[in-house]
Amino acid sequence: MDIIFQVSMGVLLNLIIGGFAMQRRSLTYPSGFFAAAVVGFTIYLASPLGWLSLMIFFVSSTILTKFKSSDPHKTEVYTFAAKGGERDGFQVFANGGSSFIFAIFLIISKGLFSYSFTSALLLALITSIAASTADTWSTEIGSLSKSEPVSILNPRKKVLRGESGGVTILGFFGAFLGSSIIALSYLLITFNWTQAFYIVSFGFLGSIIDSILGIIAQVQYYCPTCEKYTEQSPHSRCGTILKASKGIPFVNNDVVNFLASFLSGLMVYILILLL
Ligand SMILES: [Zn+2]
């Protein structure tokens, strides 16, 4: 296809999706909007198939975030956790940054608009998107769970709703569905069962890594004003800027999300090279 036509299509498609995101209030302006435009357009230039996966992640997450958003359990999760609602530039890079990096390497090694479905880098890119989808879906679906979450490292230890590292059966189900939808869309286009299996397994594994990192490394605060633990600073309920009470100070939810999706993509990349 003519390169000018492809680039124009990329601009047009990204603008339509960007407009949808702004209308649904899923991105802040300007940082969230421009970060999403850079990530979306770069991935489109690298591989339209990778871009399709990114859009399935983005549109489904936007819809799921609004789904039953007034459910009391879900509200409880959002007042505790550092996520939900409008995504700013940092949150866009937390979820799309690793696929952005794989996209840059894909452009360097294969040029623009790669339609090669055999590239390990493309599989790494799509797997990192599957991991982000699994993590977002597990949060959105898991937050509706009626049973209390437990620590992923100790099933007998109850944790607060929304606390990183907390898991529920419904959350695991959400993570599996999330990575499956990315793998299924890949399968329908490539008919490659083996690679689709890698995407679903390593995408799911990414959400497990996310939970484990969330427990061992992610920063947590105590708000003396509200007398509540939280992963937000400033605290969304009262606006107080808080000091870390647990975890590594700069390792917030964005850093954990980025690492988990990057590691799942990297593992698939290494696996393909070894096989
Ligand atoms: Zn507070």
Side-chain angles (χ1 to χ4, degrees):
M1 261 186 283
D2 180 28
I3 192 106
I4 294 170
F5 172 75
Q6 292 201 76
V7 171
S8 322
M9 277 298 286
V11 172
L12 184 70
L13 285 169
N14 280 286
L15 277 178
I16 292 171
I17 299 286
F20 164 80
M22 294 308 290
Q23 189 242 334
R24 300 293 298 243
R25 293 177 181 275
S26 61
L27 293 170
T28 62
Y29 189 84
S31 84
F33 181 80
F34 284 108
V38 168
V39 169
F41 193 60
T42 305
I43 292 175
Y44 186 88
L45 288 179
S47 159
L49 181 59
W51 185 84
L52 183 70
S53 305
L54 183 74
M55 289 307 111
I56 294 171
F57 159 67
F58 188 67
V59 173
S60 69
S61 304
T62 299
I63 293 168
L64 269 183
T65 303
K66 308 289 171 189
F67 177 68
K68 293 198 171 176
S69 58
S70 56
D71 179 276
H73 289 324
K74 204 162 172 174
T75 317
E76 204 180 326
V77 166
Y78 282 151
T79 53
F80 181 89
K83 48 184 145 194
E86 286 184 298
R87 288 173 174 83
D88 62 21
F90 287 113
Q91 285 165 312
V92 169
F93 273 104
N95 283 299
S98 49
S99 44
F100 175 75
I101 291 170
F102 289 123
I104 299 279
F105 281 105
L106 190 60
I107 292 171
I108 292 168
S109 71
K110 303 265 178 189
L112 296 178
F113 302 114
S114 169
Y115 285 94
S116 154
F117 296 148
T118 50
S119 158
L121 279 168
L122 177 63
L123 206 63
L125 189 162
I126 293 178
T127 304
S128 69
I129 294 172
S132 295
T133 312
D135 179 52
T136 305
W137 283 43
S138 73
T139 304
E140 298 300 340
I141 295 175
S143 64
L144 300 170
S145 174
K146 288 193 170 50
S147 58
E148 299 293 317
V150 294
S151 162
I152 191 166
L153 297 177
N154 179 1
R156 278 183 300 237
K157 190 185 168 205
K158 288 215 162 72
V159 299
L160 298 167
R161 281 181 183 272
E163 188 170 351
S164 287
V167 293
T168 58
I169 300 288
L170 202 60
F172 280 128
F173 176 68
F176 179 73
L177 274 188
S179 58
S180 297
I181 192 169
I182 300 295
L184 188 67
S185 63
Y186 183 87
L187 182 66
L188 289 175
I189 292 169
T190 64
F191 295 104
N192 190 322
W193 285 88
T194 313
Q195 293 190 341
F197 176 73
Y198 292 156
I199 294 171
V200 69
S201 337
F202 283 87
F204 184 77
L205 184 63
S207 76
I208 305 282
I209 295 173
D210 196 290
S211 294
I212 294 174
L213 283 176
I215 253 182
I216 60 177
Q218 191 172 329
V219 64
Q220 202 179 87
Y221 309 97
Y222 179 74
C223 178
T225 315
C226 308
E227 298 181 333
K228 276 189 187 305
Y229 285 96
T230 178
E231 288 174 1
Q232 308 162 337
S233 177
H235 197 197
S236 66
R237 293 179 65 186
C238 62
T240 314
I241 293 171
L242 305 172
K243 266 195 249 167
S245 68
K246 192 186 124 187
I248 306 166
F250 68 91
V251 181
N252 58 16
N253 192 253
D254 294 344
V255 174
V256 166
N257 280 352
F258 171 79
L259 284 176
S261 70
F262 185 72
L263 285 175
S264 60
L266 189 65
M267 284 189 288
V268 163
Y269 181 76
I270 293 169
L271 181 74
I272 300 281
L273 290 193
L274 291 179
L275 289 178

